[in-house]
Protein backbone atom coordinates (compact mmCIF):
# COMPACT_ATOMS: atom_id res chain seq x y z
CA UNK A 1 0.00 0.00 0.00
CA UNK A 2 1.53 3.21 -1.13
CA UNK A 3 0.44 6.79 -1.30
CA UNK A 4 1.20 9.52 -3.76
CA UNK A 5 3.34 12.49 -2.90
CA UNK A 6 0.33 14.76 -2.76
CA UNK A 7 -1.42 12.50 -0.28
CA UNK A 8 1.63 12.66 2.01
CA UNK A 9 1.38 16.41 2.63
CA UNK A 10 -0.41 15.64 5.88
CA UNK A 11 0.12 12.27 7.54
CA UNK A 12 -2.42 11.88 10.35
CA UNK A 13 -1.77 9.81 13.41
CA UNK A 14 -2.96 6.31 12.44
CA UNK A 15 -4.82 5.82 15.73
CA UNK A 16 -6.82 9.03 15.28
CA UNK A 17 -7.50 8.14 11.65
CA UNK A 18 -8.57 4.63 12.67
CA UNK A 19 -10.96 5.99 15.29
CA UNK A 20 -12.51 8.30 12.71
CA UNK A 21 -12.76 5.45 10.21
CA UNK A 22 -14.56 3.25 12.75
CA UNK A 23 -16.98 6.06 13.60
CA UNK A 24 -17.74 6.74 9.92
CA UNK A 25 -18.31 3.05 9.17
CA UNK A 26 -20.70 2.64 12.12
CA UNK A 27 -22.48 5.84 11.12
CA UNK A 28 -22.84 4.55 7.54
CA UNK A 29 -24.46 1.36 8.82
CA UNK A 30 -26.76 3.16 11.26
CA UNK A 31 -28.10 5.67 8.70
CA UNK A 32 -31.73 4.95 7.85
CA UNK A 33 -32.44 7.80 5.42
CA UNK A 34 -30.96 7.67 1.88
CA UNK A 35 -30.50 11.45 1.81
CA UNK A 36 -28.24 11.32 4.86
CA UNK A 37 -26.19 8.55 3.28
CA UNK A 38 -25.84 10.62 0.10
CA UNK A 39 -24.58 13.58 2.13
CA UNK A 40 -21.95 11.38 3.79
CA UNK A 41 -20.90 9.95 0.42
CA UNK A 42 -20.58 13.46 -1.02
CA UNK A 43 -18.40 14.53 1.90
CA UNK A 44 -16.11 11.52 1.38
CA UNK A 45 -15.83 12.27 -2.35
CA UNK A 46 -14.88 15.85 -1.54
CA UNK A 47 -12.22 14.62 0.88
CA UNK A 48 -10.74 12.43 -1.85
CA UNK A 49 -10.34 15.43 -4.14
CA UNK A 50 -9.16 17.70 -1.31
CA UNK A 51 -6.36 15.25 -0.48
CA UNK A 52 -5.35 15.02 -4.14
CA UNK A 53 -6.41 11.39 -4.55
CA UNK A 54 -7.40 11.87 -8.19
CA UNK A 55 -4.84 9.83 -10.12
CA UNK A 56 -5.82 7.20 -12.67
CA UNK A 57 -5.71 4.27 -10.27
CA UNK A 58 -8.01 5.97 -7.78
CA UNK A 59 -10.42 7.04 -10.52
CA UNK A 60 -10.65 3.48 -11.80
CA UNK A 61 -11.19 2.24 -8.26
CA UNK A 62 -13.96 4.76 -7.69
CA UNK A 63 -15.58 3.77 -10.96
CA UNK A 64 -15.66 0.11 -9.88
CA UNK A 65 -17.11 1.09 -6.52
CA UNK A 66 -19.91 3.03 -8.19
CA UNK A 67 -20.60 0.20 -10.65
CA UNK A 68 -20.91 -2.35 -7.85
CA UNK A 69 -23.12 0.03 -5.87
CA UNK A 70 -25.45 0.30 -8.87
CA UNK A 71 -25.48 -3.50 -9.07
CA UNK A 72 -26.50 -3.71 -5.40
CA UNK A 73 -29.29 -1.22 -6.00
CA UNK A 74 -30.64 -3.11 -9.02
CA UNK A 75 -30.42 -6.44 -7.19
CA UNK A 76 -32.42 -5.05 -4.28
CA UNK A 77 -34.95 -3.50 -6.63
CA UNK A 78 -35.47 -6.51 -8.90
CA UNK A 79 -34.96 -9.54 -6.68
CA UNK A 80 -36.72 -8.60 -3.43
CA UNK A 81 -40.37 -9.59 -3.23
CA UNK A 82 -43.16 -8.65 -0.87
CA UNK A 83 -42.38 -4.91 -0.76
CA UNK A 84 -43.57 -1.92 -2.72
CA UNK A 85 -41.38 -0.40 -5.42
CA UNK A 86 -40.75 2.68 -3.28
CA UNK A 87 -39.65 0.55 -0.32
CA UNK A 88 -37.33 -1.53 -2.50
CA UNK A 89 -35.82 1.60 -4.06
CA UNK A 90 -35.19 3.13 -0.63
CA UNK A 91 -33.71 -0.12 0.67
CA UNK A 92 -31.51 -0.47 -2.42
CA UNK A 93 -30.27 3.10 -2.12
CA UNK A 94 -29.44 2.58 1.56
CA UNK A 95 -27.54 -0.63 0.83
CA UNK A 96 -25.60 0.94 -2.04
CA UNK A 97 -24.74 4.06 -0.06
CA UNK A 98 -23.58 1.98 2.90
CA UNK A 99 -21.24 0.08 0.64
CA UNK A 100 -19.94 3.26 -1.00
CA UNK A 101 -19.42 5.07 2.29
CA UNK A 102 -17.60 2.20 3.99
CA UNK A 103 -15.32 1.56 1.02
CA UNK A 104 -14.63 5.26 0.47
CA UNK A 105 -13.80 5.82 4.14
CA UNK A 106 -11.50 2.78 4.11
CA UNK A 107 -9.84 4.08 0.93
CA UNK A 108 -9.15 7.40 2.62
CA UNK A 109 -7.64 5.63 5.63
CA UNK A 110 -5.38 3.48 3.45
CA UNK A 111 -4.28 6.44 1.30
CA UNK A 112 -3.51 8.71 4.26
CA UNK A 113 -1.89 6.13 6.55
CA UNK A 114 1.55 4.63 6.18
CA UNK A 115 1.40 0.94 7.23
CA UNK A 116 4.65 1.13 9.21
CA UNK A 117 3.42 4.26 10.97
CA UNK A 118 0.32 2.31 11.98
CA UNK A 119 2.47 -0.43 13.49
CA UNK A 120 4.67 2.07 15.36
CA UNK A 121 1.62 3.98 16.63
CA UNK A 122 0.12 0.74 17.95
CA UNK A 123 3.35 -0.14 19.71
CA UNK A 124 3.56 3.33 21.25
CA UNK A 125 -0.02 2.86 22.45
CA UNK A 126 0.89 -0.32 24.32
CA UNK A 127 0.91 -3.14 21.75
CA UNK A 128 3.80 -5.55 22.55
CA UNK A 129 6.60 -4.83 20.11
CA UNK A 130 6.81 -8.49 19.11
CA UNK A 131 3.34 -8.28 17.55
CA UNK A 132 4.05 -4.85 16.11
CA UNK A 133 7.19 -6.07 14.40
CA UNK A 134 5.25 -9.03 13.00
CA UNK A 135 2.94 -6.52 11.30
CA UNK A 136 5.91 -4.52 9.96
CA UNK A 137 7.61 -7.66 8.67
CA UNK A 138 4.43 -8.85 6.96
CA UNK A 139 4.01 -5.49 5.23
CA UNK A 140 7.61 -5.52 4.05
CA UNK A 141 7.12 -8.98 2.56
CA UNK A 142 4.40 -7.71 0.20
CA UNK A 143 6.74 -6.03 -2.35
CA UNK A 144 9.14 -8.97 -2.09
CA UNK A 145 6.36 -11.44 -2.93
CA UNK A 146 5.23 -9.24 -5.83
CA UNK A 147 8.76 -9.11 -7.22
CA UNK A 148 9.27 -12.85 -6.74
CA UNK A 149 5.95 -13.62 -8.44
CA UNK A 150 6.91 -11.47 -11.44
CA UNK A 151 10.28 -13.25 -11.68
CA UNK A 152 8.69 -16.70 -11.54
CA UNK A 153 6.07 -15.76 -14.14
CA UNK A 154 8.75 -14.48 -16.50
CA UNK A 155 10.79 -17.68 -16.02
CA UNK A 156 7.76 -19.92 -16.67
CA UNK A 157 6.79 -17.91 -19.75
CA UNK A 158 10.34 -18.29 -21.08
CA UNK A 159 9.91 -22.06 -20.75
CA UNK A 160 6.85 -21.92 -22.98
CA UNK A 161 4.22 -22.33 -20.25
CA UNK A 162 1.17 -20.23 -21.06
CA UNK A 163 0.93 -18.41 -17.75
CA UNK A 164 0.21 -15.12 -19.51
CA UNK A 165 -2.86 -16.30 -21.42
CA UNK A 166 -6.03 -14.34 -20.54
CA UNK A 167 -8.16 -17.47 -20.13
CA UNK A 168 -9.21 -19.98 -17.50
CA UNK A 169 -6.44 -22.44 -18.49
CA UNK A 170 -3.98 -19.56 -18.24
CA UNK A 171 -5.19 -18.74 -14.73
CA UNK A 172 -4.86 -22.41 -13.75
CA UNK A 173 -1.33 -22.61 -15.15
CA UNK A 174 -0.38 -19.37 -13.43
CA UNK A 175 -1.58 -20.72 -10.06
CA UNK A 176 -0.02 -24.15 -10.59
CA UNK A 177 3.43 -23.03 -11.70
CA UNK A 178 3.88 -20.00 -9.45
CA UNK A 179 2.38 -20.97 -6.09
CA UNK A 180 5.01 -23.53 -5.05
CA UNK A 181 8.12 -21.59 -6.21
CA UNK A 182 6.92 -18.36 -4.61
CA UNK A 183 5.97 -20.20 -1.40
CA UNK A 184 9.38 -21.91 -1.20
CA UNK A 185 11.18 -18.60 -1.78
CA UNK A 186 9.04 -16.86 0.87
CA UNK A 187 9.68 -19.63 3.42
CA UNK A 188 13.40 -19.39 2.75
CA UNK A 189 13.31 -15.62 3.35
CA UNK A 190 11.25 -16.13 6.52
CA UNK A 191 13.76 -18.69 7.80
CA UNK A 192 16.64 -16.29 7.19
CA UNK A 193 14.77 -13.49 8.95
CA UNK A 194 13.97 -15.72 11.94
CA UNK A 195 17.63 -16.78 12.28
CA UNK A 196 18.74 -13.14 12.09
CA UNK A 197 16.25 -12.06 14.75
CA UNK A 198 17.25 -14.95 17.01
CA UNK A 199 20.91 -14.06 16.59
CA UNK A 200 20.16 -10.51 17.73
CA UNK A 201 18.15 -11.75 20.75
CA UNK A 202 14.91 -10.24 19.52
CA UNK A 203 12.25 -10.45 22.22
CA UNK A 204 14.73 -10.83 25.08
CA UNK A 205 13.46 -7.73 26.88
CA UNK A 206 9.85 -6.94 27.67
CA UNK A 207 10.17 -3.35 26.43
CA UNK A 208 12.28 -1.55 23.88
CA UNK A 209 13.01 1.96 22.68
CA UNK A 210 11.93 3.31 19.32
CA UNK A 211 14.03 5.23 16.84
CA UNK A 212 10.90 6.57 15.20
CA UNK A 213 7.96 8.03 17.12
CA UNK A 214 4.58 8.97 15.68
CA UNK A 215 3.48 12.41 16.92
CA UNK A 216 -0.04 13.32 17.98
CA UNK A 217 -0.67 16.82 16.61
CA UNK A 218 -3.50 19.31 17.06
CA UNK A 219 -5.02 18.13 13.78
CA UNK A 220 -5.03 14.57 15.12
CA UNK A 221 -6.75 15.81 18.27
CA UNK A 222 -9.43 17.47 16.13
CA UNK A 223 -9.84 14.23 14.16
CA UNK A 224 -10.24 12.25 17.37
CA UNK A 225 -12.75 14.81 18.64
CA UNK A 226 -14.73 14.45 15.41
CA UNK A 227 -14.75 10.67 15.87
CA UNK A 228 -16.09 11.09 19.40
CA UNK A 229 -18.80 13.51 18.20
CA UNK A 230 -19.87 11.08 15.48
CA UNK A 231 -19.96 8.27 18.01
CA UNK A 232 -22.16 10.38 20.27
CA UNK A 233 -24.52 11.08 17.36
CA UNK A 234 -24.72 7.36 16.61
CA UNK A 235 -25.65 6.53 20.19
Amino acid sequence: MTTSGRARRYAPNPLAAGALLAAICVLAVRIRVPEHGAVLAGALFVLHFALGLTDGLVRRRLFRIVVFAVFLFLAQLLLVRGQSVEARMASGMLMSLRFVNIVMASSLFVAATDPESLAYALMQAGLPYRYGYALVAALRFVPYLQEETATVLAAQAARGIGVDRPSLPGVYLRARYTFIPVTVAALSRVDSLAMSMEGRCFGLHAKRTFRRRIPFTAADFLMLTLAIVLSALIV
Side-chain angles (χ1 to χ4, degrees):
M1 294 181 289
T2 60
T3 60
S4 64
R6 289 176 294 179
R8 289 181 180 271
R9 291 177 181 174
Y10 165 62
N13 187 287
L15 299 183
L20 183 59
L21 169 65
I24 292 176
C25 290
V26 175
L27 179 63
V29 173
R30 294 293 299 272
I31 286 177
R32 295 292 182 266
V33 181
E35 289 79 3
H36 296 170
V39 171
L40 180 58
L44 292 174
F45 271 107
V46 170
L47 280 176
H48 268 81
F49 286 99
L51 292 175
L53 305 177
T54 56
D55 55 17
L57 177 62
V58 173
R59 285 197 295 268
R60 290 193 297 270
R61 188 180 301 163
L62 293 178
F63 175 75
R64 294 167 185 166
I65 292 172
V66 173
V67 169
F68 190 75
V70 172
F71 171 78
L72 289 177
F73 172 77
L74 294 176
Q76 186 75 13
L77 179 64
L78 300 176
L79 300 180
V80 174
R81 295 290 182 267
Q83 297 180 0
S84 64
V85 177
E86 292 78 7
R88 282 181 288 169
M89 289 182 62
S91 179
M93 291 180 63
L94 276 175
M95 183 180 298
S96 301
L97 288 170
R98 285 169 183 165
F99 169 76
V100 170
N101 289 329
I102 291 175
V103 175
M104 291 282 291
S106 303
S107 175
L108 280 174
F109 176 77
V110 171
T113 304
D114 178 49
E116 291 191 10
S117 297
L118 175 61
Y120 282 114
L122 290 172
M123 286 187 282
Q124 289 176 198
L127 180 71
Y129 70 89
R130 300 175 183 85
Y131 301 108
Y133 186 78
L135 175 60
V136 173
L139 293 173
R140 290 182 177 178
F141 262 92
V142 173
Y144 167 74
L145 291 177
Q146 292 175 340
E147 180 181 353
E148 191 67 25
T149 300
T151 301
V152 172
L153 286 176
Q156 302 293 20
R159 294 187 178 97
I161 302 174
V163 294
D164 54 348
R165 298 174 185 172
S167 60
L168 289 178
V171 173
Y172 168 74
L173 291 174
R174 178 186 293 253
R176 177 181 178 183
Y177 290 102
T178 60
F179 178 75
I180 293 180
V182 171
T183 302
V184 171
L187 291 177
S188 176
R189 178 64 66 90
V190 168
D191 185 61
S192 301
L193 179 61
M195 292 179 62
S196 176
M197 293 171 61
E198 185 177 358
R200 297 179 181 181
C201 298
F202 180 82
L204 177 64
H205 303 286
K207 295 183 179 180
R208 55 160 288 181
T209 58
F210 296 96
R211 181 180 61 86
R212 178 186 177 190
R213 301 196 67 84
I214 308 301
F216 198 89
T217 63
D220 299 320
F221 178 77
L222 291 176
M223 188 179 299
L224 185 60
T225 303
L226 179 59
I228 295 174
V229 171
L230 289 177
S231 301
L233 291 177
I234 294 170
V235 176

